[in-house]
Structures are given as structure tokens and as C-alpha cells.
């Protein structure tokens, strides 16, 4: 188990990590998700020993990890730009970690060869064994980088935006491949990504970060359905955001009172967050909000409609998803009722 | 310093001069270079062989000549060896880490380039000469720095100081620290990382720096002249011997030795061009 | 236990390599140079001044700086012609001549010195025809001038070459399409963008020629006040054990070199503001 306590890291005046706590269970696949500048890569590198926190603790199974440098922590690190050794063949790259082990622990040549073959088979690239990194495609390089990291039988596997440098199709394929690989070898893994689809698809649990802080930790379902903060709601999935006023249990949009419950919402200026598909569409007057349909596009089973909300002077246009059988047309006046929603205090 | 590429011919008409101007410019350039560069090179060999091949080889096998050649090789080996280690160490410190004062440090390393060779020798005379700071102490302990091999080595080390570092620093900065970080994360120690990962990546740069360092070390004249004392058979490097022989009107001998140095220069130039090509495209071997 | 004791870097070896670097740097460069400056400060200002303004010293400095300046000017003009021919034209042997430009860099100075002397001596291949015309080169200040030209050849060429190669073709085409004739395009469009590189090359050639010793002393007459260069005077003073004089002259030359390098850096910085890097 990895435990991270109250990590603070500054680069000059810039606060990269502002008191981060985290517990990673054995064998789980954890995603660190956030926009650039959120501190997720910094946190990963601190766990790896490639960077050092200003204050805080990191422990692996109860032992203080900060007492050791990266070469002693026995972590496997996969870099965003692969960092394969350009002058070594694929075989030598994967064998590297095994060759630099202290003599007492080191395998003999036959043992190294066997282990490298085992790993290249695992990533299905055995046939590339004698090539050089410059002769491989991006996806192949990343799989070799993974094989290389796994060669040393690390207690933790850390991946820094492993698919960030690849194009969309390869990214999707590798995503699934990583997931099935993890279910095969069960090594505790943490990967960093800014792609929320990736995090939600692959990870057991997701840590959502912003500006050096942890916003929420939970399963993909939890962070999607029950976002804890405005940031999480806005970052994960698509949201409709409306500025509202909460007073005496009443929610107002542009002065007009909305017929929705305000329970738990903080008083004052707030934001209403609704998922596009959580907005129920009905005839005019049937919902808390009302508007005119401006434009309709169909994607498979959904209609996506641009609706101009009426009645507050300035025009607010939102996008909603409705099922096909509703058959919306441009010019229709519809009533919109948020089925599921959150209201958060308006802040930066 | 690559061979220049000529622009595509489709645009040439608008971008060039009338033919007679071109001819004149080329003629001037070629004549100038022939007079000032080609002719001096030719003269060296012409004079060296002016009394036949026999005289040429006799001059080279003269004991003084052999001793000068030996001394030159020794001093070059010492300077290149030490400055190689220094260059690699300094390039590692500068390229793989961040710290303040990096530009200042690099300028300090570059200092010998901007100092006249005579001054490079002078500074050592001021330290070790009879009236130097440490002169009396050295004399009383019968240690000879000036007018002996140590002084010559020191002066040569001074003037060749920056070559390897200057070749490696930009190369290593360009290559970044990613592969080294990967090696560390895989459990390699610092030395293992350096020898297995960094060194293979910089080998052409090392060769390039060593090549230039060696050429300068063997050919250095001004600095060595000041510290050497010109003791025949003992403290004359090849360039110094050329001077002595020339001043004694032993032209064949002087130019015979000069021809060796000239050949060294030409070989250095050829090797330099080859290595430059390797450095430009050699980022990914076997591609 | 709190982490990050002090500042640790990812890669190991900083302390060791930095320490070695600074030590070697001090031993080989800083201490010797410090010795020079210490020796300088032992002189009083009066002594310093009287050494510098003695007739022989002044003449040596005038000869060194004056002829170096003139030689650098020649190299500026010839260098531009050479670099233009090498970059813009095709002719047989172009690659060879391009490689030849580097010879003055690579050739040991003593070899250059004896070769040039032999070439320009009264009975030399070039000296003889020149003597017919009444021009004496070897053992006169003209010889010094010639040697300084030789060693300065690569500087303007090699600093201007990359800039000329990278020059944007479209700029010339634009000028031509606007009606400029070739001379206008070259003088008003192309040359101005080469000026920083030209100045840098000039300064480097000048600095190199001022301090040059080996290539020059063979062909110079080395007559005091007439054809004696400053580096030679330093050597002579050293052999006379007049360390103070030698030091004073050396310091003047050092200060001049540093000023030149400083000027070069300024030029390059100014150039970067005029011409955005692409």
C-alpha cells in the first residue's frame, strides 16, 4: 500500500502541490486526473523518487520511501515520451534494469534472456527484439517502455500520460490493452492523464486534481454521478452551468424563481450544474426552465438541441440531449426540468 | 560549418547576378584563397622535399626531431587526457542539472580562447618563473616546472582547456535528461547510468572535442615557447623545433617537421568534417 | 519523518562533478589569471603608465592593434566575397575551397609562419614577382599585415555563412517584384541583415590578429618600433626578467580582448532584437 501524506511542493512562487493526501491499495489501478498545472505529474514523480517534496511523507507498506532515491525504490516508471535508450536494441532496453542490478541479485545471462522474452511476449512484440527505438511506431515504443519497466518486477508501476503522445485510435487500443494487462498481472499502478474518458474507462479509482489539490477521490461511477465540487462536475463529463441565486431555500435564475429544491445549496451566488442528459424535456410550461429550440442535430440515438432560455433579459443558450422519439424541431418551445443536479457556491 | 546548400534552381533567376559579375566574384575568391591558403600549404611540402626524399627522411630521423616528436606526443596525450575527463565532468554538471551562474561558468571555461597564446604562457611564468610567486620555493626544492615538461604540459593544458567541454555541453543539453531519468528509475547507479546510457549517446561529440583538442595541443606555439626555454633535445616540441631550425637556415629540416604538422592539420580537417556530419544526423543510429 | 532533506536532484553526481569542475577550473585557469592580476596590482599607477607610454611599448601596441584592424578590414571585404561565392554560386571545386577556409584555424601557427615567410621572401614564389614591382613583404610591417590576414580568413566567412544560407528567399523575390534591381536588392535588403554577423566576424578576426604570435614573428622584421608586435615585446621583456613590463603590456591586451568579446556579445544581443529568430 502506498500512503502519501500532506505533500507540499513549490517551484519558486508556483505551488505545484498544496497538501495532498492519498492512499493507494495494493493491486489497484489508480488514475490521477486533472488539467495541466494540477500537479498530477509532480505527484507521480515524487512517488517515483524523481522529484522531492518540500514537506510531507510518502510511505510504501509502512516504510518511509523518501529515505531512498529513485534507483532504490523499485518502482517502474513509464514516461510520456517513452525515454527508450536510443542506441540500444529493444532487447537491450528491456534487459537494462536486469543488467544493472547488484551482482548478488542479478540473474545470469540465460535468466535475463528468458525474462526479456517473457515480457516481450506479454506485450506481444517479441518479433521486434532486434530493432532500434527509431524503427518503431509510437504505440510499439510505449509498449516496450512498459515491458522495460515491468522487467524489474516493480512493486508499483507509474505511468506519466502514457498515451499522450499517440494519436486517438492508437490511444484507445492501448487503453484497453493496459486494462487487460493490469487484470493479468495485478501490480499496483498509478497513471496520470488529463483525458477524463481515459481515466473513467481504465481506472479502478480516480483522483481528480486541480491546482495542486485533490478535489475528489472515488470510483469512476462516483465521480461521474456524485461530483463533490464544481470543478469535478465541470471537468468530468459534459455539464450545463447556469448562474443562480439561492435565498431562503429558493433558487432563482435571472430573478425568476425555479421550481427546484435547493436542499444543501449554499446561500447566495451559486452555480447550477446539470448533465445534458439529465435535463428532462417536456411541453412548454412543464418544467422549471423554458426556452426555444434553436438548432437540432442527431447522433445515433440522441438528439442534441440548442435551446435559448427565455425570460431574463440576456439570452442564455444551452445544449441538451433528448431521446430521438421526442422529435424536437427548430422553433419549438419546450419546458426543461433538471432531474439530477448539483448546486455549488460560485467561486473561481 | 557545413558545406552550404544551394537554393533551388527555379528561384535562381531572380536571385542572382549577371554572369560576368559572378565570374569576377568567383575569380577573386578563388585567387585570394589560392594565394593565401593553398600556396602556403604547397610551399611547406615543396621546401620539405626540395632536396629529395632521402633528405626528408633524414631530417625526420634526426635525434632532435625524434625527441621533439616524442615530447609533442607526450604533451598532447597529457593535455587531451586531462581535458577529456574535465570536459566530460563539466558537461555532466552543466547539462544535466539546473543551477544559477551557469552562463558565467561557461564563460570562465571559454576564457583560454580569448587570451593571446603568449599571455597564456606568461601567466605560468609569473607563477613558476625565477621571479615568480612560487619560483624561489620551487628552486629550493629543486622542482622544475618551467623549462621542463611540466611547464609545457601546463601551458598546453591551459590553451586546450575548453575544447572537449565546448563540444559536449550543447550536445548534452540538447539530449536532455530523459534517458538518464529512465535509467535511474530502473535501478541504475550514477556511474552505470553514465557509462551505459549517456556515454554512447555522446561518443561522436567526445571524438570531435578530442580531435580539436589534440590538433591544438600538438600545434601550440606561442604559449609553449614562453615556458619552454628551448633546450635542445629536451624541451622542444615540434613547433618549437621548426622555429629553431628555420632560424638556423636549416630549411629542409624545418619544413620536414612542418610538413608533419601540416599533415596533422589536414587529417584533422577531414576527420572534423566527417564527425560534423555524424553529429548532425547521428541522433538515431541505424535509421 | 519529513521528506526532501535539502534540495536533492533526480540525477546523481552533481556535487562530485561540480566540485571537480570548479577545482580543475581554478587550478588551470583562475589561479594563473589571479597571479597575473596580482602582479599587475603590485605596480603603482605611475609605473604602469610609464611602462605603457614608453616609446617601444607604444609602438608595439600601435603596430599590433593597427595592423590587426587593417587586416580584419581586408578579411571583412574578402570574407564577404568568399562567402557569397561559396553560398550562392556553383563552380568546380566549390566544396574543396569551402573546406580550405578552415585551414588557417587548423594549421599550427609556426607552420603558417615559416610557410608565409618562405612564400613572400625576396626569393619566394610570391616575394620575387613582388620585389620586381618594388614591393617588399617579408621582414617589414607589410609581412605582419599579410600574416594577420591569413589567420583571420575563417572568421568572417564562418560567422556569415550560416546566416546567408538561412536567408529567406522570398525577401529577395519580393524586392525584385517591387522593381529593385539586383544591386539595390543586395545592398539594401540582403547586406543589412548580414551586418551583425559581419561585425561579429570582424571583431573575432581583429581579436585573433592582435594576440597572434607564431604566424607573425617569422615574417615580421621584429625591429623595435618598426615591425615589433606586442606579444613579441612581452616575450622579450620576460627573457629580460622585466616581469612588470611584460605584465603591464599583457594586461592591456587582455582588457582589449575582453572589451572586444563584450562588444561581440552586445552586437549579437542587438541583432536578436532586430531579427526575430525563426
Amino acid at each position: 500500500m502506498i500512503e502519501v501524506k500532506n505533500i507540499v511542493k513549490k517551484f519558486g512562487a508556483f505551488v505545484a502541490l498544496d497538501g495532498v493526501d492519498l492512499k493507494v491499495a495494493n493491486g489497484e489501478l489508480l488514475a490521477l486526473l486533472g488539467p495541466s498545472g494540477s500537479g498530477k505529474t509532480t505527484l507521480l514523480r515524487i512517488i517515483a523518487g524523481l522529484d522531492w517534496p518540500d514537506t510531507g511523507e510518502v510511505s510504501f507498506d509502512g516504510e518511509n520511501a523518501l529515505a531512498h532515491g529513485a534507483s532504490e525504490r523499485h518502482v517502474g516508471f513509464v514516461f510520456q515520451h517513452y525515454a527508450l535508450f536510443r542506441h540500444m536494441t529493444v532487447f537491450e532496453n528491456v534487459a537494462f534494469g536486469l543488467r544493472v542490478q547488484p551482482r548478488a541479485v542479478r540473474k545470469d545471462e540465460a535468466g535475463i534472456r528468458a525474462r526479456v522474452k517473457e515480457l516481450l511476449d506479454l506485450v506481444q512484440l517479441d518479433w521486434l527484439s532486434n530493432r532500434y527505438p527509431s524503427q518503431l511506431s509510437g504505440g510499439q515504443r510505449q509498449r516496450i517502455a512498459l515491458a522495460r519497466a515491468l522487467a524489474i518486477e516493480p512493486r508499483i508501476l507509474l505511468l506519466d500520460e502514457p498515451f499522450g503522445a499517440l494519436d486517438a485510435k492508437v490511444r484507445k487500443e492501448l487503453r484497453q490493452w493496459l486494462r487487460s494487462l493490469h487484470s493479468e498481472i495485478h501490480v499496483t499502478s498509478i497513471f496520470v492523464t488529463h483525458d477524463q474518458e481515459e481515466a473513467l474507462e481504465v481506472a479502478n479509482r480516480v483522483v481528480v486534481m486541480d491546482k495542486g489539490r485533490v478535489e475528489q477521490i472515488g470510483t469512476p461511477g462516483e465521480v461521474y454521478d456524485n461530483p463533490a465540487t464544481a470543478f469535478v462536475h465541470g471537468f468530468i463529463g459534459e455539464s450545463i452551468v447556469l448562474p443562480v441565486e439561492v435565498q431562503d431555500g429558493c433558487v432563482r435564475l435571472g430573478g425568476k424563481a425555479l421550481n427546484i429544491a435547493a436542499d444543501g445549496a449554499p446561500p447566495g451566488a451559486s452555480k447550477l450544474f446539470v448533465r445534458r442528459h439529465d435535463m428532462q424535456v417536456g411541453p412548454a410550461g412543464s418544467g422549471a426552465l423554458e426556452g426555444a429550440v434553436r438548432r437540432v442535430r442527431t447522433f445515433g440515438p440522441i438528439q442534441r438541441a440548442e435551446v435559448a432560455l427565455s425570460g431574463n433579459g440576456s439570452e442564455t443558450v444551452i445544449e441538451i440531449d433528448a431521446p430521438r422519439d421526442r422529435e424536437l424541431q427548430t422553433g419549438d418551445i419546450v419546458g426543461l426540468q433538471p432531474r439530477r443536479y448539483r448546486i455549488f457556491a460560485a467561486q473561481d | 560549418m557545413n558545406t552550404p546548400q544551394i537554393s533551388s534552381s527555379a528561384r535562381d533567376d531572380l536571385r542572382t547576378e549577371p554572369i560576368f559579375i559572378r565570374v569576377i566574384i568567383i575569380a577573386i575568391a578563388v585567387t585570394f584563397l589560392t594565394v593565401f591558403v593553398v600556396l602556403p600549404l604547397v610551399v611547406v611540402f615543396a621546401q620539405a622535399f626540395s632536396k629529395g626524399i632521402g633528405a626528408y627522411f633524414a631530417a625526420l630521423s634526426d635525434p632532435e626531431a625524434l625527441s621533439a616528436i616524442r615530447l609533442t606526443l607526450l604533451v598532447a596525450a597529457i593535455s587531451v587526457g586531462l581535458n577529456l575527463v574535465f570536459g566530460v565532468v563539466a558537461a555532466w554538471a552543466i547539462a544535466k542539472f539546473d543551477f544559477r551562474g551557469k552562463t558565467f561558468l561557461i564563460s570562465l571555461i571559454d576564457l583560454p580562447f580569448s587570451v593571446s597564446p603568449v599571455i597564456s604562457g606568461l601567466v605560468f611564468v609569473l607563477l613558476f618563473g625565477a621571479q615568480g610567486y612560487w619560483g624561489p620555493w620551487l628552486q629550493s626544492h629543486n622542482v622544475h616546472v618551467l623549462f621542463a615538461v611540466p611547464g609545457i604540459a601546463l601551458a598546453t593544458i591551459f590553451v586546450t582547456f575548453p575544447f572537449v567541454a565546448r563540444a559536449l555541453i550543447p550536445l548534452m543539453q540538447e539530449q536532455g535528461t530523459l534517458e538518464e531519468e529512465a535509467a535511474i528509475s530502473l535501478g541504475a547507479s550514477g556511474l552505470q547510468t553514465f557509462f551505459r546510457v549517456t556515454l554512447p549517446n555522446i561518443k561522436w561529440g567526445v571524438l570531435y572535442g578530442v580531435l580539436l583538442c589534440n590538433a591544438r595541443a600538438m600545434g601550440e606555439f606561442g604559449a609553449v615557447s614562453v615556458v619552454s626555454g628551448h633546450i635542445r633535445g629536451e624541451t622542444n616540441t615540434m613547433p618549437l623545433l621548426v622555429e629553431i631550425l628555420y632560424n638556423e637556415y636549416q630549411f629542409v629540416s624545418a619544413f620536414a617537421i612542418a610538413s608533419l604538422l601540416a599533415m596533422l592539420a589536414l587529417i584533422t580537417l577531414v576527420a572534423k568534417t566527417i564527425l560534423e556530419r555524424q553529429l548532425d544526423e547521428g541522433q538515431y543510429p541505424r535509421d | 519523518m519529513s521528506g526532501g532533506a535539502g534540495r536533492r536532484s533526480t540525477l546523481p553526481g552533481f556535487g562530485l562533478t561540480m566540485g571537480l569542475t570548479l577545482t580543475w577550473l581554478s587550478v588551470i585557469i583562475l589561479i594563473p589569471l589571479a597571479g597575473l592580476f596580482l602582479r599587475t596590482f603590485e605596480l603603482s599607477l605611475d609605473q604602469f603608465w610609464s611602462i605603457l607610454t614608453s616609446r617601444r611599448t607604444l609602438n608595439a601596441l600601435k603596430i599590433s592593434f593597427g595592423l590587426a584592424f587593417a587586416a580584419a578590414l581586408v578579411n571583412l571585404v574578402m570574407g564577404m566575397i568568399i562567402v557569397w561565392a561559396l553560398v550562392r554560386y556553383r563552380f568546380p571545386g566549390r566544396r574543396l575551397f569551402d573546406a580550405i577556409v578552415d585551414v588557417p584555424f587548423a594549421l599550427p601557427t609556426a607552420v603558417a609562419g615559416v610557410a608565409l615567410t618562405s612564400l613572400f621572401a625576396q626569393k619566394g614564389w610570391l616575394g620575387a614577382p613582388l620585389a620586381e614591382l618594388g614591393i617588399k613583404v617579408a621582414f617589414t610591417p607589410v609581412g605582419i599585415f599579410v600574416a594577420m590576414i591569413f589567420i583571420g580568413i575563417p572568421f568572417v566567412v564562418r560567422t556569415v555563412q550560416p546566416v546567408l544560407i538561412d536567408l529567406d528567399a522570398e525577401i529577395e523575390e519580393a524586392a525584385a517584384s517591387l522593381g529593385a534591381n539586383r544591386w539595390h536588392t543586395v545592398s539594401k535588403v540582403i547586406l543589412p541583415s548580414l551586418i551583425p554577423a559581419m561585425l561579429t566576424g570582424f571583431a573575432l578576426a581583429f581579436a585573433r590578429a592582435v594576440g597572434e604570435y607564431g604566424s607573425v614573428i617569422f615574417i615580421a622584421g621584429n625591429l623595435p618600433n618598426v615591425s615589433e608586435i606586442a606579444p613579441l615585446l612581452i616575450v622579450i621583456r620576460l627573457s629580460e626578467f622585466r616581469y612588470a613590463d611584460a605584465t603591464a603590456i599583457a594586461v592591456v591586451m587582455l582588457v582589449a580582448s575582453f572589451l572586444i568579446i563584450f562588444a561581440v556579445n552586445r552586437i549579437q544581443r542587438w541583432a536578436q532584437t532586430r531579427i526575430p529568430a525563426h
Side-chain angles (χ1 to χ4, degrees):
Chain A
M1 185 185 77
I2 309 172
E3 195 166 332
V4 168
K5 271 203 203 136
N6 202 21
I7 296 282
V8 173
K9 173 78 182 174
K10 297 195 177 114
F11 293 105
F14 174 69
V15 182
L17 291 172
D18 197 2
V20 170
D21 296 295
L22 185 58
K23 281 200 184 67
V24 186
N26 275 336
E28 82 168 315
L29 179 54
L30 186 80
L32 296 179
L33 173 66
S36 30
S38 54
K40 50 196 198 297
T41 297
T42 310
L43 181 60
L44 196 76
R45 286 174 62 93
I46 288 178
I47 297 176
L50 295 171
D51 254 325
W52 300 88
D54 298 330
T55 55
E57 295 170 32
V58 178
S59 57
F60 297 166
D61 292 327
E63 278 173 46
N64 177 22
L66 294 174
H68 303 286
S71 49
E72 292 146 10
R73 288 200 198 174
H74 222 63
V75 293
F77 200 97
V78 178
F79 294 78
Q80 182 176 6
H81 296 285
Y82 330 122
L84 294 178
F85 303 127
R86 73 191 85 179
H87 62 280
M88 294 185 202
T89 60
V90 161
F91 182 93
E92 284 303 323
N93 261 281
V94 177
F96 183 85
L98 300 168
R99 290 206 191 284
V100 296
Q101 280 173 335
R103 215 163 285 257
V105 196
R106 201 185 306 170
K107 296 193 213 281
D108 63 347
E109 186 61 27
I112 292 181
R113 219 185 297 262
R115 176 100 180 111
V116 172
K117 181 158 190 336
E118 194 188 317
L119 287 158
L120 288 178
D121 285 339
L122 183 65
V123 300
Q124 293 146 347
L125 290 177
D126 184 34
W127 51 288
L128 290 177
S129 171
N130 285 325
R131 302 267 180 93
Y132 284 85
S134 57
Q135 298 167 305
L136 305 177
S137 73
Q140 289 168 335
R141 286 184 208 176
Q142 200 53 295
R143 284 192 277 167
I144 298 299
L146 191 55
R148 181 178 69 174
L150 290 173
I152 57 172
E153 290 170 76
R155 60 215 294 196
I156 315 164
L157 186 62
L158 303 174
L159 305 105
D160 183 7
E161 309 232 24
F163 312 129
L166 304 166
D167 49 317
K169 182 161 177 288
V170 180
R171 233 198 309 235
K172 277 204 162 58
E173 285 170 5
L174 282 182
R175 217 186 275 176
Q176 286 159 359
W177 175 81
L178 178 65
R179 181 116 184 96
S180 58
L181 188 69
H182 182 262
S183 53
E184 228 182 285
I185 55 178
H186 286 301
V187 62
T188 312
S189 308
I190 307 179
F191 77 97
V192 158
T193 180
H194 61 270
D195 182 347
Q196 42 117 346
E197 200 186 302
E198 189 168 287
L200 297 179
E201 226 182 82
V202 177
N204 297 134
R205 280 197 305 155
V206 177
V207 177
V208 184
M209 292 179 68
D210 185 37
K211 298 201 179 65
R213 295 227 174 104
V214 173
E215 296 271 327
Q216 183 174 4
I217 306 181
T219 65
E222 279 165 19
V223 298
Y224 189 86
D225 292 328
N226 296 316
T229 66
F231 174 80
V232 178
H233 203 301
F235 190 76
I236 305 217
E238 301 278 352
S239 313
I240 302 168
V241 183
L242 294 169
V244 295
E245 277 263 329
V246 177
Q247 219 176 10
D248 307 320
C250 184
V251 183
R252 282 176 223 279
L253 172 65
K256 186 172 140 220
L258 297 180
N259 189 8
I260 55 178
D263 35 32
S270 308
K271 290 198 175 134
L272 173 68
F273 283 76
V274 191
R275 301 259 183 239
R276 276 206 289 251
H277 53 78
D278 281 339
M279 195 71 101
Q280 187 160 20
V281 182
S286 66
L289 300 160
E290 196 161 282
V293 174
R294 285 273 207 80
R295 202 178 148 217
V296 183
R297 289 170 289 162
T298 27
F299 303 97
I302 336 170
Q303 294 175 90
R304 185 158 296 165
E306 272 179 36
V307 177
L309 294 179
S310 48
N312 46 334
S314 61
E315 203 176 54
T316 320
V317 179
I318 61 173
E319 271 193 349
I320 57 159
D321 285 349
R324 276 291 276 273
D325 45 4
R326 267 258 86 223
E327 283 199 11
L328 296 169
Q329 306 246 10
T330 315
D332 287 354
I333 309 286
V334 289
L336 302 172
Q337 179 68 23
R339 266 182 315 198
R340 281 174 81 139
Y341 60 92
R342 297 291 300 272
I343 303 180
F344 297 108
Q347 3 107 293
D348 286 354
Chain B
M1 295 189 190
N2 296 313
T3 317
Q5 308 296 314
I6 294 291
S7 45
S8 69
S9 52
R11 305 173 111 156
D12 270 352
D13 295 331
L14 263 183
R15 296 180 64 222
T16 196
E17 292 68 53
I19 187 150
F20 77 91
I21 294 201
R22 274 186 274 160
V23 165
I24 292 180
I25 290 185
I26 295 176
I28 296 178
V30 166
T31 312
F32 181 81
L33 283 177
T34 307
V35 164
F36 276 90
V37 183
V38 174
L39 279 185
L41 273 179
V42 171
V43 138
V44 170
F45 291 96
Q47 288 274 12
F49 289 101
S50 60
K51 297 226 167 60
I53 297 196
Y56 180 80
F57 282 107
L60 289 182
S61 30
D62 182 273
E64 268 182 17
L66 290 175
S67 144
I69 294 174
R70 264 199 302 271
L71 182 60
T72 301
L73 290 174
L74 174 66
V75 168
I78 296 176
S79 318
V80 169
L82 289 174
N83 283 327
L84 168 63
V85 172
F86 165 77
V88 165
V89 164
W92 177 266
I94 291 176
K96 304 292 181 189
F97 301 96
D98 266 319
F99 55 91
R100 302 170 76 184
K102 211 185 266 202
T103 327
F104 182 63
L105 183 60
I106 296 180
S107 322
L108 282 181
I109 294 179
D110 271 350
L111 265 179
F113 274 161
S114 46
V115 172
S116 161
V118 164
I119 300 183
S120 309
L122 167 69
V123 294
F124 289 104
V125 172
L126 290 180
L127 285 181
F128 300 112
Q131 294 183 13
Y133 284 114
W134 299 329
W137 186 91
L138 287 171
Q139 266 182 343
S140 60
H141 287 79
N142 206 25
V143 173
H144 298 289
V145 174
L146 292 193
F147 304 165
V149 177
I152 298 178
L154 271 176
T156 311
I157 293 173
F158 182 95
V159 299
T160 57
F161 191 75
F163 281 100
V164 178
R166 282 183 112 223
L168 287 181
I169 290 176
L171 180 64
M172 285 171 78
Q173 280 178 326
E174 199 193 356
Q175 291 180 345
T177 55
L178 212 51
E179 288 188 32
E180 282 81 10
E181 282 187 3
I184 296 285
S185 76
L186 289 165
S189 69
L191 278 177
Q192 282 174 322
T193 306
F194 174 74
F195 282 106
R196 287 172 181 266
V197 176
T198 315
L199 199 51
N201 281 341
I202 58 172
K203 63 178 180 237
W204 297 119
V206 168
L207 271 176
Y208 189 81
V210 162
L211 182 76
L212 296 182
C213 184
N214 178 64
R216 182 68 195 266
M218 289 195 177
E220 178 54 34
F221 178 69
V224 176
S225 176
V226 170
V227 301
S228 121
H230 307 267
I231 303 174
R232 300 189 81 110
E234 276 182 38
T235 61
N236 279 319
T237 58
M238 285 164 75
L240 292 181
L241 189 57
V242 167
E243 180 191 25
I244 290 181
L245 292 171
Y246 189 84
N247 287 336
E248 290 175 353
Y249 301 97
Q250 295 192 51
F251 292 135
V252 171
S253 306
F255 280 102
I257 310 227
S259 73
L260 289 181
L261 290 170
M263 283 192 275
L264 169 72
L266 291 173
I267 294 175
T268 303
L269 275 183
V270 169
K272 174 169 169 281
T273 319
I274 297 177
L275 280 176
E276 272 166 358
R277 214 162 290 161
Q278 273 295 346
L279 277 174
D280 275 342
E281 54 181 64
Q283 286 304 315
Y284 290 96
R286 275 165 265 229
D287 207 359
Chain C
M1 190 163 75
S2 153
R7 232 199 295 169
R8 292 176 69 167
S9 0
T10 313
L11 299 181
F14 181 66
L16 181 65
T17 53
M18 197 59 184
L20 279 175
T21 303
L22 290 176
T23 310
W24 190 239
L25 184 68
S26 309
V27 166
I28 297 295
I29 303 215
L30 295 180
I31 294 179
L33 281 180
L36 177 66
F37 284 108
L38 268 180
R39 185 61 69 123
T40 314
F41 288 127
E42 281 173 14
L43 294 171
S44 72
L45 212 52
D46 284 329
Q47 285 174 293
F48 192 78
W49 192 247
S50 68
I51 294 173
L52 281 186
T53 51
S54 81
R55 197 171 150 254
R56 191 169 174 190
T57 310
L58 268 184
N59 280 320
L61 287 172
K62 264 193 239 171
I63 290 170
S64 275
F65 281 89
L67 288 175
F69 191 83
L73 275 180
V74 169
N75 275 320
L76 182 61
V77 172
M78 290 310 305
M80 287 308 294
I81 294 180
I82 293 173
V83 79
W84 194 267
L86 288 179
V87 174
R88 305 289 275 222
Y89 303 155
R90 272 198 196 91
F91 54 94
R94 179 177 61 82
R95 275 182 197 261
L96 187 62
F97 277 101
D98 190 359
I100 283 178
V101 168
D102 276 332
V103 166
F105 258 154
L107 196 64
T109 52
V111 175
V114 296
L116 286 172
T117 313
S118 179
L119 200 56
F120 285 98
Q122 294 238 289
K123 298 205 192 109
W125 296 355
L126 291 177
L130 284 173
E132 302 271 314
L133 298 170
I135 305 176
K136 193 164 172 260
V137 176
F139 313 121
T140 70
V142 183
I144 301 179
F145 180 61
V146 164
M148 285 179 169
I149 293 177
F150 172 84
I151 48 141
I153 289 175
F155 290 95
V156 173
V157 176
R158 291 307 189 212
T159 34
V160 172
Q161 201 169 13
V163 183
L164 189 56
I165 292 176
D166 279 345
L167 216 52
D168 204 347
E170 292 179 344
I171 305 240
E172 288 178 68
E173 291 170 346
S177 71
L178 287 166
N181 66 27
R182 191 62 193 155
W183 172 244
H184 274 146
T185 308
V186 169
S187 62
K188 290 206 192 330
V189 174
I190 300 181
L191 279 184
S193 60
L194 297 177
I195 285 186
M198 286 165 66
L199 285 177
T200 305
F202 173 83
L204 291 175
F206 178 47
R208 176 72 193 259
V210 164
E212 183 57 28
Y213 181 71
S215 326
V216 176
I217 54 160
F218 293 94
I219 198 174
N222 299 326
L223 295 171
N225 298 309
V226 173
S227 53
E228 184 178 60
I229 53 171
L232 178 58
L233 188 54
I234 294 179
V235 171
I236 290 176
R237 292 294 183 230
L238 274 181
S239 66
E240 295 169 347
F241 292 105
R242 287 166 65 170
Y243 286 9
D245 295 47
T247 311
I249 306 174
V251 164
V252 168
M253 292 185 63
L254 263 183
V255 168
S257 323
F258 289 149
L259 284 177
I260 295 175
I261 292 177
F262 187 70
V264 167
N265 281 337
R266 278 255 159 264
I267 295 172
Q268 291 181 329
R269 212 172 298 174
W270 165 69
Q272 268 159 10
T273 58
R274 279 175 87 235
I275 304 161
H278 38 96

